């Protein structure tokens, strides 16, 4: 999407902060653990759905974190050491070191309030490193060759056009393709834009973050006097850094990659007349895009009947606009970004500063996923969030060490974050709808329940945010599973309704 999607992640995070503020307000007003509150005052189906979806998101999301960290260490930070080693030993060494470091930080958090403060300090330092790293790369690029600032500012204006049409720079090239095959390229671009938009919305505030916030506040001993502080902290400590980091990454990547063919894939020559060699990792994906275009022309059956040599000849004979689009749309990762930045910003900024930011981002995410899962396991069996059981729960996301070894992910480690995010997004409405309903339960909040204009304003912010999440979730279920996905959703809703009717018929009962 280039610069046209710069508005997306700040908007998604703003919606997330609205919901997190609601979660914080409900939790701090009551002092009650949210899982128990949802089960008792809303529905145990929503409560257990929230808890199980959070655990599932923790385990799935840990996979790309280890993959991305491994790629950054081997390709950006230590290419001479880890990059030259065989894949399996180097990857084992990296994932083991990351897992041990993360486990040590989590153990600090379990040592009580002093340990939690040290853990928080480590995370704050890592967040600071992330911000400085990515902002430094952007500043270096801006002071050097410059950025298209008009496009940057235009990209901050929200637009729904990416849901239905390619961005302008790609649309120009698509219009040069023969009419029968434009739909192949435009459809591919729009589908990828939709996936990325859903992924951005899902990861701005994931469902597991909705679980971490209330339990971490309760563990710190916060109460209703901290409600204003919680909102201020979310805005200054979450919204602002997130906007800076994601804005820098999107702007830098768009400036280097958007609507620009990957070097060497089109057989171009450099200033000395020497043919540019493409990056090895991009050749196969580039050919895959062109094979898809060829299938669209001759049909899948005819394509399957071709020999390897015939396929290669047909791909080589495709018109220049098709080949150009394939070279533009091939997926590139942080290594390729650092490689293109090196001549502009210098090797230090391009490889080391950028790589440090990527590693800091992923390692801090792994630590947080481990902490969240500890809370989840303890809450599942109604035990305090500390001790042996908490540590066992924290260990579970270390299944992510398998991420770099999963076949196929090594070719697109960074892009693994997109399908993972889409899976997680399906479950977000469990949390959003639950807390939107809790905000309006007087039997839970008592006098703390908003009233008058405050209640109207709160609901005007909260319910549209929950509705956006629900619409996105239904859309993902439909595009992924079609009627099976909708049937699954209706089954969950029906189950929730049946449980609620039976509970009301049974009358008041003890807390869940």
């Amino acid at each position: 999407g280039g610069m046209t999607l710069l508005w997306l992640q700040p908007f998604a995070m703003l919606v997330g902060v609205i919901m997190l503020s609601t979660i914080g307000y409900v939790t701090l007003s009551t002092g009650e653990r949210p899982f128990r509150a949802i089960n008792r005052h809303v529905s145990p189906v929503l409560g257990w759905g929230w808890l199980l979806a959070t655990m599932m998101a923790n385990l799935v999301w840990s996979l790309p974190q280890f993959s991305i960290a491994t790629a950054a260490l081997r390709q950006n930070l230590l290419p001479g050491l880890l990059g030259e080693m065989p894949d399996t030993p180097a990857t084992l060494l990296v994932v083991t070191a990351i897992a041990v470091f993360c486990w040590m930080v989590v153990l600090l958090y379990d040592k009580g309030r002093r340990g939690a403060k040290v853990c928080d300090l480590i995370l704050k330092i890592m967040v600071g490193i992330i911000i400085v790293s990515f902002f430094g790369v952007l500043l270096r690029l801006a002071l050097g060759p410059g950025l298209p600032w008009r496009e940057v500012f235009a990209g901050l204006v929200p637009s729904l056009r990416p849901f239905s049409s390619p961005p302008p720079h790609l649309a120009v090239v698509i219009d040069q393709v023969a009419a029968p095959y434009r739909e192949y390229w435009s459809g591919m671009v729009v589908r990828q834009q939709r996936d990325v938009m859903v992924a951005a919305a899902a990861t701005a505030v994931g469902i597991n973050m909705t679980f971490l916030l209330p339990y971490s506040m309760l563990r710190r001993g916060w109460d209703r006097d901290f409600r204003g502080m919680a909102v201020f902290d979310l805005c200054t400590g979450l919204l602002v850094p997130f906007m800076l980091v994601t804005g820098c990454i999107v702007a830098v990547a768009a400036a280097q990659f958007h609507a620009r063919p990957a070097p060497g894939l089109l057989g171009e020559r450099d200033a000395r007349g020497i043919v540019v060699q493409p990056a090895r990792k991009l050749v196969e994906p580039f050919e895959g895009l062109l094979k898809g275009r060829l299938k669209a022309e001759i049909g899948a059956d005819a394509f399957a009947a071709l020999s390897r040599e015939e396929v290669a000849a047909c791909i080589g004979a495709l018109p220049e606009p098709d080949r150009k689009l394939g070279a533009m749309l091939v997926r590139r990762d942080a290594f390729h970004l650092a490689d293109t930045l090196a001549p502009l910003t210098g090797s230090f900024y391009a490889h080391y500063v950028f790589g440090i930011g990527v590693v800091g981002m992923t390692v801090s995410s792994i630590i947080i996923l481990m902490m969240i899962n500890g809370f989840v396991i303890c809450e599942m069996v109604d035990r305090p969030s500390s001790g042996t059981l908490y540590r066992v729960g924290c260990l579970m996301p270390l299944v992510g060490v398998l991420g770099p070894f999963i076949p196929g992910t090594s070719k697109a480690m960074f892009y693994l974050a997109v399908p993972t995010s889409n899976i997680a997004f399906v479950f977000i409405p469990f949390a959003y709808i639950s807390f939107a309903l809790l905000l309006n339960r007087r039997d839970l909040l008592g006098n703390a329940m908003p009233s008058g204009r405050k209640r109207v304003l709160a609901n005007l912010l909260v319910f549209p945010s929950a509705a956006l999440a629900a619409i996105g979730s239904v859309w993902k279920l439909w595009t992924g599973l079609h009627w099976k996905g909708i049937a699954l959703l209706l089954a969950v809703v029906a189950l929730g309704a049946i449980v609620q009717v039976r509970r009301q018929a049974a009358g008041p009962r003890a807390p869940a």
Side-chain angles (χ1 to χ4, degrees):
M3 302 290 184
T4 61
L5 293 179
L6 272 171
W7 63 272
L8 177 63
Q9 288 178 301
F11 175 78
M13 178 54 80
L14 182 60
V15 171
V17 166
I18 290 171
M19 295 308 305
L20 289 178
S21 298
T22 303
I23 294 170
Y25 182 86
V26 170
T27 302
L28 297 179
S29 295
T30 63
E32 190 171 344
R33 287 146 66 186
F35 176 64
R36 308 292 153 184
I38 293 172
N39 285 354
R40 191 167 73 252
H41 295 279
V42 183
S43 168
V45 173
L46 282 177
W48 280 98
W50 178 49
L51 183 133
L52 294 174
T54 297
M55 183 173 69
M56 186 176 176
N58 291 336
L59 302 181
V60 173
W61 187 242
S62 66
L63 296 170
Q65 306 305 322
F66 278 93
S67 296
I68 293 171
T70 300
L73 282 165
R74 295 193 64 194
Q75 298 174 359
N76 295 87
L77 296 179
L78 298 170
L81 176 62
L82 298 174
E84 299 297 328
M85 291 176 61
D87 287 346
T88 300
T91 302
L92 279 173
L93 179 63
V94 171
V95 298
T96 301
I98 293 172
V100 170
F101 174 78
C102 293
W103 178 239
M104 292 173 62
V105 175
V106 169
L107 288 180
L108 276 176
Y109 191 81
D110 196 37
K111 293 293 184 181
R113 290 196 177 184
R114 177 174 292 183
K117 287 182 178 179
V118 175
C119 181
D120 285 344
L121 179 61
I122 292 173
L123 288 174
K124 287 176 181 177
I125 291 172
M126 295 183 78
V127 170
I129 291 172
I130 295 167
I131 295 172
V132 171
S133 299
F134 291 126
F135 193 75
V137 172
L138 179 72
L139 186 62
R140 184 81 174 187
L141 186 63
L143 294 177
L147 287 171
W149 290 109
R150 180 175 296 179
E151 293 182 18
V152 170
F153 291 121
L156 295 173
V157 179
S159 170
L160 296 180
R161 288 187 61 187
F163 266 106
S164 58
S165 60
H169 292 303
L170 287 179
V172 171
V173 185
I174 292 175
D175 287 341
Q176 299 171 11
V177 175
Y181 313 116
R182 290 174 191 165
E183 181 58 32
Y184 169 76
W185 294 111
S186 62
M188 174 190 297
V189 171
V190 170
R191 284 193 299 273
Q192 290 188 8
Q193 284 185 153
R194 289 172 180 169
D195 283 345
V196 170
M197 291 177 77
V198 172
T203 52
V205 174
I207 190 169
N208 42 16
M209 194 68 186
T210 65
F211 204 95
L212 174 65
L213 178 75
Y215 286 91
S216 62
M217 290 193 300
L218 291 175
R219 183 160 177 163
R220 288 190 179 98
W222 286 21
D223 55 23
R224 62 173 54 212
D225 293 332
F226 286 81
R227 290 179 299 189
M229 176 63 185
V231 176
F232 177 80
D233 186 51
L234 286 169
C235 292
T236 59
L238 182 61
L239 179 62
V240 173
F242 181 87
M243 289 175 61
L244 285 174
V245 171
T246 57
C248 291
I249 295 173
V250 172
V252 170
Q256 297 305 304
F257 291 153
H258 181 60
R260 292 190 179 190
L265 293 178
L266 300 179
E268 62 269 29
R269 298 176 181 270
D270 61 18
R272 296 174 295 175
I274 300 174
V275 176
V276 177
Q277 295 300 312
R280 286 181 297 174
K281 289 185 177 181
L282 298 183
V283 174
E284 187 176 340
F286 170 67
E287 292 177 349
L289 291 171
L290 297 183
K291 287 177 183 178
R293 160 64 176 83
L294 188 58
K295 286 181 185 179
E297 180 176 347
I298 66 174
D301 293 337
F303 178 85
L306 296 176
S307 66
R308 183 178 301 180
E309 292 75 16
E310 289 172 328
V311 169
C314 291
I315 288 177
L318 285 174
E320 182 67 16
D322 292 283
R323 297 179 57 79
K324 190 174 181 181
L325 280 167
M328 288 178 174
L329 296 175
V330 68
R331 290 172 186 164
R332 287 160 273 191
D333 62 19
F335 173 75
H336 301 114
L337 180 56
D339 208 32
T340 61
L341 288 172
L344 307 174
T345 64
S347 179
F348 176 76
Y349 272 89
H351 288 278
Y352 294 101
V353 177
F354 188 87
I356 289 170
V358 171
V359 172
M361 182 171 60
T362 52
V363 171
S364 61
S365 296
I366 295 168
I367 293 169
I368 291 171
L369 291 172
M370 293 172 69
M371 291 164 55
I372 297 170
N373 215 66
F375 289 132
V376 168
I377 296 300
C378 291
E379 193 66 353
M380 192 178 289
V381 295
D382 197 13
R383 294 277 296 276
S385 300
S386 60
T388 302
L389 187 62
Y390 174 77
R391 295 178 185 181
V392 170
C394 291
L395 280 172
M396 290 173 64
L398 291 183
V399 69
V401 299
L402 300 176
F405 299 100
I406 296 176
T409 61
S410 60
K411 296 177 182 177
M413 288 184 179
F414 285 76
Y415 202 78
L416 183 60
V418 174
T420 303
S421 307
N422 282 289
I423 293 170
F425 188 46
V426 172
F427 300 109
I428 285 181
F430 282 111
Y432 282 16
I433 293 172
S434 297
F435 283 98
L437 295 173
L438 286 179
L439 187 65
N440 292 275
R441 293 301 299 254
R442 188 171 294 279
D443 55 345
L444 172 67
L445 293 176
N447 294 331
M449 191 185 84
S451 59
R453 292 181 179 177
K454 288 184 178 179
R455 184 179 182 184
V456 172
L457 178 61
N459 284 315
L460 284 175
L461 292 173
V462 170
F463 276 99
S465 300
L468 283 173
I471 291 170
S473 178
V474 170
W475 181 77
K476 281 310 300 178
L477 284 171
W478 172 254
T479 56
L481 299 173
H482 299 290
W483 288 112
K484 293 179 182 179
I486 302 302
L488 177 63
L489 179 63
L490 292 176
V492 172
V493 172
L495 177 63
I498 292 170
V499 170
Q500 194 67 11
V501 168
R502 294 188 64 179
R503 292 181 73 206
Q504 290 177 352
R509 57 186 299 174

